[in-house]
Amino acid sequence: MAALLTVLLQSSAVLAVSSEDSGQTSKPYRQWIEQMKSAPRGPFQHIRWFCNDGTILPPNASACDGHGGGAQHGEWNEQVKTLRADGYRVANILSNIDLAGLLADPQYPEILAQIALEQFLIAIDDGWILRQARFYRGALQEEGERRGARRLLFKLAEDTQWLQRRYLQLRLSARFIAHGPETDQVTRIRQVSSDLARRDPGFQVLRNKIHVRPDVSDADAVDDYARNRADAALISEYESLAASIRSVYQPAALSDHLQRLAQSLTASGDLAERLLQAQQDFAATRDARERFVLSADLLRLLRDQVITPNQPDRRIALVDTSLKLEAEHFAAGAQLRERLESLSRREIADLLLHGTAAIYGAGLISERQRTSLTSELQVLQQQTISLAQYRTALDLLARVPNWATASLEFYYGAAVRRFSEIEPLSLLFIQDQLRGSALFFFAQALDLLQRDADRLGGVRSELYGEPVSGLRALNPGLASGPLRFALDTADLGELDREGIYVLRETVAELPPVAGIITAGEGNPLSHVQLLARNLGIPNVAVAEQQIDALRRHADKHIMLAVSPGGSVVIGPATGPADPAGPSVNKADIRIVPDLKKLDLKEQSFIRLRDLGSEDSGRTVGPKAAKLGELKRHYPDAVTDGLAIPFGAFRALLDQPFEASGESVFDWMVRQYRRLDALPEGSPQRQVETEQFRRSLEQWILQARPAGDFRQRLRSAMQEAFGPDGSYGVFVRSDTNVED
C-alpha cells in the first residue's frame, strides 16, 4: 500500500494516439503517392539549379556561377511541397542538405528516421515514388547524393554523446542512406554509360538510371540490353560495363574489408590489432559456428569502441563494418538453425550467449540488458540446474524481442505511424529490421528451449488444438466470449464487457472485460492488471507471430484458459450455441502475500534511491520498489521521490476505533469474521456489509496520522526535494486504497 511522492522537475508528457494517427488521413495524400509512383517525373516537376545563395535557376550550364555554386536536381511538384509542409518528409534530396537547419530543428531525430524510412520504401517497392523518376535525367545526381549523405552521417558521428545514445539510429541511417565514397571506378562507370548513350540513343534510359540511382541490379539490366544489340564492338563494351558495375556494388569479402579497416585505424592501437586478428580468424575458417561466434563478439566490440577514433569518417567506417558483420552473423545463424535440434541445452545456451552480444552490437538492447541476459545464460550453462532456474532464465530471455521492438519503436515509431497514413508498406519497417537482424536466430533457438522447458514442466500452450510457443501466462483464469481486437488505443472506449480482447498494451482506462490477450509483455503493475488478478480475469501475453493466427478467429466465440502453472489454451468455446456465448465459472483466484517477508516495523520515509526490487512486498509495494530499482540504474533520468512504507499505514490502523477501545485493525478483523459467518448472498449479509463499508469509509475520511508524522514528512521532503514551494508533488499509490 506504500504511497510514493515524486517531485516534478519538468512537465509531464502523455503518450497518446490522436484521431489523425489512428487511420488514413482524410486528405488525398495516398492518392498522390500512387500517382507519383507511375508519373514519368515521379515527385518532381522540373530540373533546376539550386544555388548556395538560395537562387533557383533553369538547368543551364554553369547557372550558379556568381551565386556561390550549387547543385542541379529535380524541383518538387506542388503535391510534394504540400506533403512536406504537413510533416511528411518525402522526396528527400541530400546533395545540398542544410545540415545546420536540420540539426537545429527539434524534430530532427524523426526527420532522420523519415529519411531512412523513405529509403526502405524505395528498396522494397521498386523505387516507390522514384519508380519512374530513376529514369528522369538530372532528377538526382548520384555523386552529389552520396556526398550529402556522408556530410550528414559524419556530422552526426562528430557528437560522441549522440553517437552513444542513438547508436541504433545512426547504424540504420548508415544502412539505408547510400554514402559510399566517390572512386575512380564509379566515375568511370558514369563516363562510359554516358559515352554509350551518345553512340546508342536506345541506351539513354538505362544511362539515366545508372546516373540517378545505381545499384548492382544495373549490371543485369546492361547485360539484357546488350543481348539485343547487333554491333559486336558495342556488345563487348556493354559486357565490360556490366562487369565494372558488379565489381563496384557487390560487397568485398569480409576478411578483406576488415584488413583494410584495420590498416586505416593504425593510430587506434588495440582496436586495429583486434581487427587484424579478427581478419585472420575469418580468413582461416568456413565453419558456421566459428563465424557465428566471431561475428557476434566483433559486433559487440565495434559498438563499445565506436568512439575510439576521433575522426567521424573512421567512426562511420566502424558502423559500416558492423552492418557487414551482422549480415555475416545472420548467414552463419541460418546454417546453424538447420542443426539446432541436434544440440544440447548447454550448446544452445552458449549460442544464445553469443547471440546476445550480437543483438547488443546491433544496437537493439542496452548494455544493462545484455549484462542481465549474460548472467541468466551462464546459469543455463551449468552442469546441473533446477527446472525453476531453467524457466526463470528463459522468462528473462523471452523479453529480448520486446526490448528490441521497443528500441526500434523509440527511434522510428513516430515516423512509421506518420508515413503509414500515406503508404501502408511503412508498417513493415520495424518487422523487417527485426527479421533481418541477429535477433532472428536468437528467437528460434530460444523457442526450442522454451518448448523443452514446457515439456519438462508439463506446461502446454495450445492455439486451436495446435501446440505453440509465444503464449505466456500473466493471470490465471477461465473465460469465454467473442474474440475482439483493440490494437488501436482509440478503440478502448467502446469495449464489450463480455469480449476477450487482443490489446497492444494494458492501460489504466481499460474497463473490465472477460479476458485479455496482450500483444507483447504487458504491464504487471497497471491498474487493469491488478483488476485482472483480483477478479480472476485471464490474461496472456502473446508474441507478435501469433497475432495473425488469432486474427483468423476474430469475432468468433473462443475459450481462454490459463492455469496457475502457466499452461495456456485458446480454442473454440464449448457449450450451447448461445449468441452471448457459453457461461463459464471463473477460476478461484487468491492472492497470498508472503507475510514472513513483510516488515511493518519500518515507519520512516524512504528515499527512492534507497529502494530496489527486493523491497517489493517487504516495506513498500511493487511500483515504489521498481521505480527505486530504475533510480539505481538511471539516477539522472528518474526524479527524486519518497515512499511511505507499509509500517506507517499499519500504525494508522493501531489507533482506537471510536469509543470501543479496540484498535481499528482489530475491529476490521472482527467485522470480516462476523460477515464471513453469515450466509453468502443473504439479505442480512448484504445489509451488514454495506453498514461495515460506510463505517470504515467514515473513519478513513476522519483519520489523521498520529504524533509527529506531518513534521517528519515535511522534513523528509525538504531534505529530498529542497525548500517548500520550489517543487511540485505527484502522489502515486500501489492500489487505490491510499488515494
Side-chain angles (χ1 to χ4, degrees):
M1 293 186 187
L4 183 66
L5 305 178
T6 304
V7 59
L8 300 183
L9 300 181
Q10 55 188 5
S11 61
S12 300
V14 179
L15 180 62
V17 178
S18 70
S19 58
E20 294 180 350
D21 293 329
S22 61
Q24 181 179 349
T25 176
S26 59
K27 301 170 184 176
Y29 293 169
R30 283 194 187 178
Q31 181 182 350
W32 292 357
I33 292 295
E34 292 304 315
Q35 291 170 351
M36 290 181 211
K37 291 180 182 181
S38 57
R41 297 182 178 183
F44 307 115
Q45 57 180 333
H46 302 294
I47 304 299
R48 291 287 184 266
W49 274 98
F50 294 81
C51 305
N52 292 335
D53 65 358
T55 306
I56 301 176
L57 299 171
N60 301 321
S62 305
C64 283
D65 287 356
H67 296 277
Q72 179 182 278
H73 54 73
E75 181 181 19
W76 295 319
N77 62 32
E78 293 304 316
Q79 292 175 341
V80 170
K81 293 176 183 178
T82 300
L83 282 163
R84 291 181 68 88
D86 204 9
Y88 302 95
R89 304 284 292 211
V90 300
N92 293 284
I93 300 171
L94 302 179
S95 60
N96 59 349
I97 187 171
D98 178 11
L99 282 181
L102 172 64
L103 298 180
D105 191 323
Q107 299 299 319
Y108 86 89
E110 183 185 341
I111 295 172
L112 184 61
Q114 287 194 34
I115 292 173
L117 181 55
E118 180 177 51
Q119 296 303 312
F120 167 76
L121 292 171
I122 289 170
I124 69 166
D125 193 26
D126 190 25
W128 198 48
I129 59 174
L130 295 180
R131 187 172 298 168
Q132 302 302 320
R134 292 175 295 183
F135 308 103
Y136 180 27
R137 184 175 182 178
L140 294 170
Q141 300 296 332
E142 195 264 344
E143 65 274 26
E145 288 301 291
R146 286 178 178 265
R147 189 163 52 248
R150 288 196 299 276
R151 288 174 51 229
L152 171 61
L153 294 176
F154 292 172
K155 188 66 177 178
L156 295 174
E158 284 179 3
D159 188 338
T160 298
Q161 283 194 335
W162 197 96
L163 177 58
Q164 291 178 312
R165 292 179 179 177
R166 291 185 171 270
Y167 181 74
L168 175 60
Q169 186 169 17
L170 179 63
R171 195 170 179 275
L172 289 186
S173 297
R175 168 177 289 168
F176 287 107
I177 303 174
H179 59 281
E182 180 77 1
T183 65
D184 291 341
Q185 195 170 10
V186 171
T187 302
R188 177 66 178 163
I189 287 171
R190 282 201 299 272
Q191 292 171 343
V192 169
S193 63
S194 293
D195 179 61
L196 285 168
R198 180 182 55 79
R199 294 153 54 196
D200 180 5
F203 188 65
Q204 185 66 48
V205 173
L206 262 179
R207 176 263 180 209
N208 293 344
K209 166 66 170 65
I210 292 170
H211 279 237
V212 172
R213 195 169 186 84
D215 56 51
V216 70
S217 68
D218 295 337
D220 290 338
V222 171
D223 281 339
D224 291 342
Y225 181 84
R227 291 191 186 97
N228 297 317
R229 301 298 96 189
D231 188 326
L234 279 179
I235 291 174
S236 176
E237 291 186 59
Y238 283 127
E239 290 174 347
S240 177
L241 175 61
S244 296
I245 292 172
R246 288 191 178 95
S247 67
V248 167
Y249 293 107
Q250 285 184 340
L254 179 60
S255 59
D256 294 341
H257 178 83
L258 289 172
Q259 184 175 30
R260 288 197 297 271
L261 178 63
Q263 291 170 348
S264 72
L265 294 172
T266 52
S268 299
D270 183 58
L271 177 58
E273 291 181 9
R274 296 180 72 173
L275 287 169
L276 277 176
Q277 182 61 54
Q279 180 268 326
Q280 296 169 12
D281 292 340
F282 273 109
T285 182
R286 296 307 307 164
D287 179 74
R289 186 189 179 283
E290 291 181 10
R291 297 180 78 83
F292 182 88
V293 172
L294 284 170
S295 56
D297 293 345
L298 198 52
L299 274 165
R300 177 192 56 77
L301 173 69
L302 291 185
R303 179 176 178 181
D304 288 339
Q305 297 289 319
V306 70
I307 63 171
T308 298
N310 290 324
Q311 309 94 324
D313 59 326
R314 297 291 186 265
R315 292 176 173 180
I316 293 299
L318 291 184
V319 172
D320 289 338
T321 303
S322 173
L323 293 169
K324 289 181 179 291
L325 281 166
E326 187 175 20
E328 175 65 33
H329 185 80
F330 188 92
Q335 291 180 267
L336 289 174
R337 286 197 302 271
E338 298 176 1
R339 59 180 199 244
L340 267 177
E341 296 280 356
S342 64
L343 300 181
S344 68
R345 297 185 186 100
R346 293 179 67 187
E347 288 173 325
I348 295 175
D350 182 65
L351 290 175
L352 286 172
L353 183 62
H354 292 289
T356 298
I359 295 168
Y360 165 76
L364 292 171
I365 60 174
S366 68
E367 170 60 22
R368 178 174 176 268
Q369 289 168 335
R370 185 185 75 83
T371 301
S372 298
L373 294 168
T374 299
S375 177
E376 292 298 337
L377 283 163
Q378 288 170 346
V379 171
L380 294 184
Q381 291 178 309
Q382 295 175 11
Q383 187 68 35
T384 304
I385 60 172
S386 68
L387 179 59
Q389 289 175 307
Y390 191 20
R391 297 194 67 88
T392 298
L394 295 182
D395 283 346
L396 180 63
L397 296 176
R399 299 180 185 179
V400 175
N402 294 293
W403 289 344
T405 302
S407 296
L408 287 165
E409 171 69 25
F410 178 78
Y411 295 115
Y412 293 95
V416 166
R417 286 190 291 275
R418 182 180 294 276
F419 258 49
S420 68
E421 297 173 355
I422 61 172
E423 178 51 77
L425 289 174
S426 304
L427 295 172
L428 298 176
F429 180 81
I430 290 178
Q431 170 185 314
D432 186 81
Q433 305 321 300
L434 293 174
R435 291 187 175 182
S437 73
L439 185 64
F440 193 70
F441 173 86
F442 184 96
Q444 291 192 313
L446 176 61
D447 179 71
L448 187 63
L449 292 185
Q450 286 175 319
R451 285 189 277 119
D452 176 56
D454 287 346
R455 178 184 58 81
L456 293 173
V459 174
R460 62 190 180 92
S461 292
E462 288 186 6
L463 183 58
Y464 274 74
E466 295 293 329
V468 296
S469 60
L471 300 179
R472 187 170 71 86
L474 294 177
N475 294 327
L478 176 67
S480 73
L483 178 62
R484 310 290 193 201
F485 284 78
L487 296 176
D488 189 328
T489 54
D491 299 333
L492 294 179
E494 302 177 357
L495 300 189
D496 176 8
R497 295 176 65 93
E498 302 300 320
I500 296 174
Y501 278 88
V502 181
L503 308 167
R504 272 294 164 213
E505 57 182 340
T506 50
V507 294
E509 292 75 23
L510 182 71
V513 292
I516 302 169
I517 300 174
T518 305
E521 281 295 302
N523 177 6
L525 300 182
S526 69
H527 284 287
V528 71
Q529 198 80 319
L530 294 171
L531 179 68
R533 290 177 184 174
N534 290 332
L535 300 182
I537 298 175
N539 193 351
V540 174
V542 59
E544 286 290 335
Q545 65 263 28
Q546 301 299 348
I547 296 294
D548 288 341
L550 284 169
R551 281 191 187 278
R552 293 195 289 270
H553 306 285
D555 298 323
K556 297 177 182 176
H557 273 78
I558 70 165
M559 177 191 68
L560 174 63
V562 188
S563 77
S567 294
V568 177
V569 176
I570 299 176
T574 58
D578 186 329
S583 60
V584 293
N585 293 322
K586 303 292 185 185
D588 183 14
I589 307 300
R590 290 179 179 270
I591 301 175
V592 182
D594 183 0
L595 296 180
K596 294 181 180 179
K597 179 181 180 182
L598 191 62
D599 180 6
L600 297 178
K601 295 180 180 179
E602 180 61 68
Q603 297 187 21
S604 300
F605 306 105
I606 307 174
R607 291 287 293 269
L608 193 61
R609 68 189 184 193
D610 297 326
L611 288 172
S613 58
E614 69 277 6
D615 295 307
S616 177
R618 188 181 69 85
T619 55
V620 295
K623 289 179 183 173
K626 294 297 184 182
L627 197 55
E629 184 76 16
L630 288 173
K631 180 69 173 175
R632 286 184 182 178
H633 296 288
Y634 306 102
D636 296 331
V638 179
T639 190
D640 291 324
L642 281 176
I644 302 175
F646 292 142
F649 290 92
R650 182 63 176 85
L652 188 66
L653 296 179
D654 284 337
Q655 296 182 16
F657 179 72
E658 297 179 346
S660 66
E662 64 181 338
S663 69
V664 175
F665 181 83
D666 290 338
W667 171 76
M668 289 174 62
V669 170
R670 184 166 57 80
Q671 294 301 315
Y672 279 121
R673 288 175 177 169
R674 184 177 64 82
L675 293 173
D676 190 51
L678 297 175
E680 186 174 356
S682 66
Q684 181 185 5
R685 182 168 180 170
Q686 293 176 4
V687 169
E688 296 198 21
T689 298
E690 176 58 22
Q691 290 175 346
F692 170 54
R693 187 200 64 76
R694 285 200 302 267
S695 297
L696 182 58
E697 179 184 34
Q698 287 301 313
W699 179 84
I700 290 174
L701 292 174
Q702 299 173 16
R704 297 291 183 271
D708 61 349
F709 179 90
R710 285 181 176 77
Q711 181 55 45
R712 290 190 297 111
L713 178 58
R714 185 177 294 108
S715 298
M717 292 176 68
Q718 184 172 357
E719 180 183 350
F721 307 145
D724 189 21
S726 65
Y727 54 85
V729 176
F730 175 75
V731 182
R732 191 72 173 103
S733 61
D734 272 292
T735 70
N736 292 329
V737 175
E738 305 91 324
D739 297 343

